Amino acid sequence: MYTVYIPSMKVQFFETGSSHMSTRGLKTAAGQIQRPVPLREAAYEAILDLITTRTLSPGLHLVETELAEQLGVSRQPVREAIQRLSNEGWVELRPGYGAFVHTPTETEADQLLAVRSLLETESARLAAENATPEQIDHLRELIDSGRSETTSGNTEAVVRVNSEFHRSITVASGNKVLTELAAQVDRRVRWYYTPVARIRGSASWDEHEQLLDAVEARDPGRAGTLMSEHTERTRLTYNEHAQEEG
Amino acid sequence: MYTVYIPSMKVQFFETGSSHMSTRGLKTAAGQIQRPVPLREAAYEAILDLITTRTLSPGLHLVETELAEQLGVSRQPVREAIQRLSNEGWVELRPGYGAFVHTPTETEADQLLAVRSLLETESARLAAENATPEQIDHLRELIDSGRSETTSGNTEAVVRVNSEFHRSITVASGNKVLTELAAQVDRRVRWYYTPVARIRGSASWDEHEQLLDAVEARDPGRAGTLMSEHTERTRLTYNEHAQEEG
DNA sequence: CAGGAGCATACTGTATACAGGATACAAAAG
DNA sequence: CTTTTGTATCCTGTATACAGTATGCTCCTG
């Protein structure tokens, strides 16, 4: 009944990060063997990518056999991927009828932004109490990197670094539950946000730096306030753009 | 016109355990036809129940065929249920190894309590701004009901009403994302909390009443503060009990 | 021409089949 | 007696099969 679990094996398995990193398998010092990623994982990443890039537009009916054929697998892994997407709010599952790409609404976007603001503000507060020197160094590097990518106009990289900065703050909070929830909310916010957002210029990195200074100075109150203002500004930017669109 | 679908008898299959699972299959209004609950849903409820009641203890290896046989279905619905349980943190999924009931740790419980406190405090604040008169009435009824159940010593009912009160507060916030996250966190907190908790007597209902008064008076600041203190007290209670155990 | 019944088809939900890897146990070698 | 190797068995991951319902179109009827 109880099965012994060997820790060394799990290493590369739960790499939930970017799907198109070439370093799929870990081949570090000990010559670890690359294990095949379960098809359900691959299918999940693939479909989510199709959704976030708008290739599969909101409201679309996801037909299992079509996706299966397109991905070159059977329906089974596709179903499991869709289940997970449903749990995370990316698709809606109508029993007997099928899966449909979730259609974002204005109010929902606003509510997500509000929750994100809440989670990240608390993260910043806790990070000011718990961040390790290494984590602070890492954050400092991200700001530098973000600045240089901004000046060189590499939009995609800026978005990625920005996202990584926020994630690292939540990690530095030391609260894993918080990290997980924030990551999930953040990803969905980004989905809603992307089509209307332009990058909030380099001012954003100044704000990040102030925040990091507060964290380094172990000033939770100030860190929280700064993050709160920062996310609130993002929210306003979004609402402005949303209003322009209609 | 739709061809009428006559519900089969198998709907009744999963009355296992918790009888008052929300209105999944039953439609009261206007002679709606009852549709069969998807087996994956039933399996999910059944397994989750087994986990929360400690019938399936932490660390246990969930063998798909065993569960399938026990529930009288095939492996497929069981797999889908396990997937969902994994997403929600109830079991851990190790590719190639199988599913294992998640083992709670002290720090994790504390982190969950911290996040719950955060989410519910914000909920209370928002509820003070947005709650409708009907919602306030409902909350008032819950307090009455909670008090009477407390005096009659009906522990299980007290727990349920308490849970429902907190959930209703999050609903009254008007933020659905918040409601959903809070519900998920709350359920897990309860899982951790149950074995060491005795009910925090009737003082708890006085606190609830004060909170509701603040909500009715449209005083977000006070509502937030009260909820924060309330959840913090719960957290302390938990930590005391946890310490006694070790 | 309009409306409805009936049929064909597509898709989901569920079950079963099959292959490869993991575990455990036993036997053989040192 | 300890360690290694071979083997039998179990379990997961994936594919395929099957049943039943929803949808859409055609044809019939008024």
Side-chain angles (χ1 to χ4, degrees):
Chain A
M1 226 18 173
Y2 287 86
T3 305
V4 178
Y5 159 57
I6 301 161
S8 64
M9 302 296 260
K10 87 174 191 184
V11 177
Q12 189 57 7
F13 259 6
F14 295 111
E15 186 69 47
T16 55
S18 50
S19 53
H20 23 274
M21 286 302 269
S22 52
T23 55
R24 261 284 198 228
L26 183 66
K27 51 180 63 177
T28 50
Q32 285 273 9
I33 291 293
Q34 173 176 348
R35 297 179 63 119
V37 176
L39 289 190
R40 60 164 180 270
E41 295 289 335
Y44 168 81
E45 296 290 346
I47 298 173
L48 181 49
D49 199 60
L50 291 175
I51 291 177
T52 52
T53 59
R54 301 284 195 291
T55 308
L56 300 174
S57 47
L60 191 71
H61 183 190
L62 297 181
V63 179
E64 293 173 359
T65 48
E66 277 178 27
L67 285 171
E69 192 177 357
Q70 187 174 336
L71 300 177
V73 299
S74 75
R75 276 177 59 206
Q76 177 81 3
V78 171
R79 273 184 76 84
E80 295 183 356
I82 287 178
Q83 296 285 334
R84 182 166 162 199
L85 289 168
S86 159
N87 291 335
E88 291 171 9
W90 296 98
V91 307
E92 280 154 31
L93 226 46
R94 277 185 266 172
Y97 196 77
F100 299 81
V101 179
H102 176 70
T103 303
T105 67
E106 269 310 309
T107 57
E108 194 185 355
D110 197 58
Q111 293 180 354
L112 272 167
L113 281 163
V115 171
R116 185 178 76 150
S117 178
L118 180 68
L119 295 175
E120 298 214 347
T121 298
E122 181 70 4
S123 292
R125 199 173 288 135
L126 289 173
E129 292 172 353
N130 304 321
T132 67
E134 294 76 32
Q135 288 171 331
I136 290 174
D137 287 347
H138 180 225
L139 287 163
R140 194 73 70 191
E141 284 166 19
L142 285 173
I143 291 176
D144 291 345
S145 159
R147 279 222 173 85
S148 72
E149 296 289 6
T150 300
T151 54
S152 58
N154 191 347
T155 306
E156 195 188 324
V158 172
V159 171
R160 195 172 58 241
V161 174
N162 181 59
S163 175
E164 175 64 16
F165 181 85
H166 280 264
R167 204 188 67 85
S168 297
I169 289 282
T170 68
V171 170
S173 76
N175 187 323
K176 283 184 186 173
V177 177
L178 200 53
T179 303
E180 231 168 88
L181 288 186
Q184 216 164 295
V185 171
D186 189 64
R187 197 161 185 184
R188 284 188 61 194
V189 165
R190 251 163 245 287
W191 182 44
Y192 291 34
Y193 188 62
T194 304
V196 289
R198 48 127 219 257
I199 305 306
R200 285 178 49 221
S202 55
S204 182
W205 296 108
D206 291 342
E207 291 174 21
H208 286 161
E209 185 150 46
Q210 281 187 290
L211 171 63
L212 183 52
D213 288 343
V215 168
E216 195 163 19
R218 303 297 181 197
D219 186 343
R222 181 166 159 73
T225 305
L226 285 169
M227 179 62 101
S228 179
E229 289 171 2
H230 176 71
T231 53
E232 203 53 35
R233 252 190 292 276
T234 302
R235 190 175 174 180
L236 289 178
T237 306
Y238 173 73
N239 283 337
E240 283 169 22
H241 280 267
Q243 215 157 19
E244 286 173 18
E245 310 263 324
Chain B
M1 259 304 147
Y2 284 8
T3 43
V4 176
Y5 171 64
I6 298 162
S8 62
M9 289 182 286
K10 73 178 176 183
V11 176
Q12 311 292 358
F13 263 9
F14 290 94
E15 276 307 308
T16 57
S18 53
S19 50
H20 33 274
M21 277 325 291
S22 55
T23 63
R24 182 60 193 171
L26 216 111
K27 284 287 171 288
T28 52
Q32 282 273 15
I33 291 294
Q34 177 175 347
R35 299 179 63 115
V37 177
L39 289 189
R40 59 163 179 272
E41 295 289 332
Y44 167 81
E45 297 290 347
I47 298 172
L48 181 49
D49 198 62
L50 291 175
I51 291 176
T52 52
T53 59
R54 301 282 195 291
T55 308
L56 300 173
S57 46
L60 191 72
H61 182 190
L62 297 179
V63 178
E64 293 172 1
T65 49
E66 278 180 26
L67 285 171
E69 192 176 358
Q70 187 174 337
L71 300 177
V73 299
S74 74
R75 276 177 59 207
Q76 178 80 3
V78 171
R79 273 184 75 84
E80 296 184 355
I82 287 177
Q83 297 284 335
R84 181 164 162 201
L85 289 168
S86 157
N87 291 333
E88 292 172 9
W90 297 98
V91 308
E92 282 154 31
L93 224 48
R94 309 198 177 294
Y97 283 72
F100 300 80
V101 179
H102 176 70
T103 303
T105 66
E106 269 311 308
T107 57
E108 195 185 354
D110 197 58
Q111 293 180 353
L112 272 167
L113 281 163
V115 171
R116 184 177 76 148
S117 177
L118 179 68
L119 295 175
E120 300 214 346
T121 297
E122 181 70 4
S123 293
R125 199 173 290 136
L126 290 173
E129 293 173 354
N130 305 322
T132 67
E134 294 76 32
Q135 288 170 332
I136 291 174
D137 286 347
H138 180 225
L139 286 163
R140 192 74 68 193
E141 285 166 19
L142 286 173
I143 291 176
D144 290 344
S145 158
R147 278 222 174 85
S148 72
E149 296 290 4
T150 301
T151 54
S152 59
N154 191 347
T155 306
E156 195 188 323
V158 172
V159 170
R160 195 172 59 243
V161 174
N162 181 59
S163 176
E164 176 63 15
F165 181 85
H166 280 265
R167 204 189 67 85
S168 297
I169 288 282
T170 68
V171 170
S173 76
N175 188 322
K176 284 185 184 172
V177 177
L178 200 54
T179 303
E180 232 168 87
L181 287 187
Q184 214 165 296
V185 170
D186 189 63
R187 196 161 186 184
R188 285 189 59 194
V189 164
R190 255 163 242 286
W191 182 45
Y192 289 35
Y193 188 61
T194 305
V196 290
R198 50 132 214 255
I199 307 305
R200 285 176 50 218
S202 55
S204 183
W205 296 108
D206 292 343
E207 290 174 23
H208 286 162
E209 185 150 46
Q210 282 188 290
L211 172 64
L212 183 51
D213 288 342
V215 168
E216 196 163 17
R218 303 296 181 199
D219 186 342
R222 180 165 161 75
T225 304
L226 285 169
M227 179 63 100
S228 178
E229 288 171 3
H230 177 70
T231 53
E232 202 55 34
R233 254 191 290 278
T234 303
R235 189 176 176 180
L236 290 178
T237 305
Y238 174 72
N239 283 336
E240 281 169 22
H241 280 267
Q243 213 156 21
E244 285 173 18
E245 308 263 324

